[in-house]
Amino acid sequence: MNECYYDKRMDFFYNMTNTDTVDEWTGPKLIVVLCFGTFFCLFIFISNSLVIAAVVKNKRFHFPFYYLLANLAAADFFAGIAYVFLMFNTGPVSKTLTVNRWFLRQGLLDTSLTASLVNLLVIAVERHMSIMRMKIHSNLTKKRVTFLIISIWAIAIFMGAVPTLGWNCLCDITACSSLAPIYSRSYLVFWSILNLVVFFIMVVVYIRIYMYVQRKTNVLSSHTSGSISRRRTPVKLMKTVMTLLGAFVVCWTPGLVVLLLDGLNCTYCGIQNVKRWFLLLALMNSVMNPIIYSYKDDEMWSTMKRMICCSSEDKNQDRRSSRVPSTVLCRSTDTSGNYVEDGIIQGTICGKGDLGDKGNS
């Protein structure tokens, strides 16, 4: 019967698998890495929060596609949390971690990847349902979309917890990988191949849907009198989704290939030298997605810009109103008082106040 090592710290497993934990990452180099990592994570938190808020705020986004897009932003936000936890539990610190803390560190990353992947798969199904009926949005009810979102996170959490639940090498040291010292190599092979196959399937599905949309749009454009912008809307949404999928595949595929090579016990592939760069590339995916949303969707960018603008205008207006309280109080006593107080609250929002009421005051 094999001996199990649940009570050991990670330095035991790193030494057994000859894993490089980069002891030289200290001093200025560590500070630079933490500064850049902190900047990117802050951008991930702020930008993805804006995307979620935009979907909630703008009623034009109250459709299944945008609910799922907001959930993808939530997955990126969660990825930011995983990267923050990783930043302070990597390098020399890795050897001091307990087994459970190391499982938590990797489980957060695996959960964020799975949440994004499954969400993109669900978006593919939603787009297929819409496109085949030549509609902009599918007929999914809010209850069904809520169920799908809950299911996405349930699957993501389960997949992130699989190694903790038993598929590890704590009782079989010879099966441990070098990149993930307490993950079984067989699990890395399964995990990598599963994700790469899903990547391939989604790429094929999206290409097929996009070709179908282009063909149908060209046929209908010569037989219908509908607005050009309306006919192009499904194509624009598909371009947004395909850009997101392309960025996801480009950012995550190198890391998954490295994990696959490690699972296959490739000792001559030099995977230790590239693993950190590929992890950084995966981090960039969560940075790129909000930029893609705003660049490819004019309405999304306008909504986000209005929210930022309104926030800054509200702060400036609060400061201005605190400087001239006597003017407000004095004028609020006459018949035009309502206009003055309302104007402070409403008329200056993003420069779009109801100036037409001024003549009636």
Side-chain angles (χ1 to χ4, degrees):
M1 184 175 179
N2 292 334
E3 182 180 358
C4 297
Y5 301 92
Y6 295 103
D7 57 339
K8 297 290 185 180
R9 288 192 173 271
M10 288 306 300
D11 58 343
F12 171 81
F13 299 99
Y14 280 114
N15 293 332
M16 291 293 294
T17 57
N18 297 318
T19 302
D20 175 25
T21 57
V22 198
D23 291 327
E24 71 273 12
W25 274 47
T26 57
K29 184 182 290 188
L30 180 61
I31 293 174
V32 171
V33 170
L34 290 177
C35 288
F36 274 97
T38 301
F39 171 77
F40 284 127
C41 288
L42 284 175
F43 180 83
I44 288 171
F45 292 144
I46 295 171
S47 58
N48 285 287
S49 296
L50 280 173
V51 172
I52 296 171
V55 173
V56 173
K57 183 179 179 64
N58 194 332
K59 292 184 178 180
R60 295 182 182 180
F61 295 150
H62 291 183
F63 293 98
F65 172 79
Y66 286 103
Y67 291 144
L68 294 172
L69 207 63
N71 192 51
L72 187 60
D76 288 326
F77 188 96
F78 184 85
I81 297 175
Y83 291 127
V84 169
F85 191 83
L86 174 65
M87 275 195 305
F88 294 98
N89 292 276
T90 191
V93 181
S94 297
K95 288 188 174 183
T96 66
L97 299 178
T98 62
V99 167
N100 289 334
R101 193 172 181 84
W102 195 94
F103 271 136
L104 176 61
R105 189 189 82 173
Q106 297 304 121
L108 290 174
L109 291 172
D110 294 345
T111 299
S112 66
L113 168 62
T114 306
S116 297
L117 182 62
V118 178
N119 205 92
L120 282 170
L121 189 59
V122 172
I123 290 177
V125 174
E126 191 274 342
R127 287 294 84 199
H128 186 274
M129 292 170 58
S130 303
I131 296 306
M132 294 307 167
R133 296 179 176 88
M134 287 308 294
K135 293 182 178 180
I136 298 176
H137 299 290
S138 66
N139 294 326
L140 287 174
T141 63
K142 288 186 177 181
K143 288 185 178 180
R144 290 182 179 179
V145 174
T146 302
F147 173 76
L148 287 173
I149 291 174
I150 293 174
S151 299
I152 287 169
W153 285 102
I155 294 171
I157 293 171
F158 173 75
M159 292 301 296
V162 166
T164 310
L165 296 175
W167 200 344
N168 54 59
C169 62
L170 294 176
C171 297
D172 185 9
I173 295 298
T174 59
C176 290
S177 73
S178 62
L179 290 180
I182 55 178
Y183 275 15
S184 173
R185 287 196 300 272
S186 60
Y187 172 74
L188 290 187
V189 172
F190 161 79
W191 172 257
S192 304
I193 292 179
L194 175 64
N195 285 283
L196 291 172
V197 168
V198 174
F199 282 4
F200 178 76
I201 292 174
M202 284 199 299
V203 169
V204 171
V205 169
Y206 277 119
I207 290 176
R208 179 180 177 274
I209 294 176
Y210 184 74
M211 292 175 64
Y212 176 83
V213 170
Q214 290 282 42
R215 186 170 63 251
K216 276 290 185 179
T217 303
N218 292 334
V219 171
L220 292 176
S221 61
S222 59
H223 294 87
T224 61
S225 58
S227 66
I228 296 176
S229 59
R230 181 171 181 82
R231 291 199 302 268
R232 288 179 178 174
T233 300
V235 179
K236 290 176 66 177
L237 291 180
M238 279 306 304
K239 286 182 178 179
T240 300
V241 175
M242 291 187 69
T243 304
L244 290 171
L245 178 61
F248 188 80
V249 171
V250 169
C251 290
W252 280 99
T253 298
L256 290 174
V257 171
V258 166
L259 288 177
L260 178 60
L261 293 175
D262 186 33
L264 296 175
N265 200 23
C266 180
T267 56
Y268 303 101
C269 297
I271 54 179
Q272 293 288 345
N273 299 325
V274 297
K275 64 178 183 180
R276 294 168 195 87
W277 300 108
F278 289 164
L279 182 62
L280 179 61
L281 184 62
L283 167 65
M284 292 304 297
N285 179 240
S286 297
V287 175
M288 292 166 59
N289 281 346
I291 299 174
I292 294 172
Y293 303 147
S294 58
Y295 178 76
K296 302 295 284 186
D297 194 319
D298 295 336
E299 184 70 21
M300 177 68 73
W301 169 241
S302 298
T303 304
M304 293 169 65
K305 188 164 60 174
R306 282 198 300 271
M307 289 191 297
I308 297 172
C309 176
C310 288
S311 177
S312 61
E313 287 288 342
D314 287 343
K315 291 179 182 178
N316 293 334
Q317 193 60 43
D318 289 340
R319 285 196 292 268
R320 286 196 293 269
S321 61
S322 64
R323 293 172 186 169
V324 288
S326 58
T327 304
V328 175
L329 292 175
C330 178
R331 295 192 61 179
S332 63
T333 59
D334 58 31
T335 57
S336 62
N338 290 336
Y339 163 71
V340 175
E341 291 179 342
D342 291 343
I344 292 175
I345 298 173
Q346 299 174 354
T348 57
I349 294 179
C350 293
K352 296 182 179 179
D354 190 2
L355 301 179
D357 291 341
K358 189 171 182 179
N360 299 326
S361 62

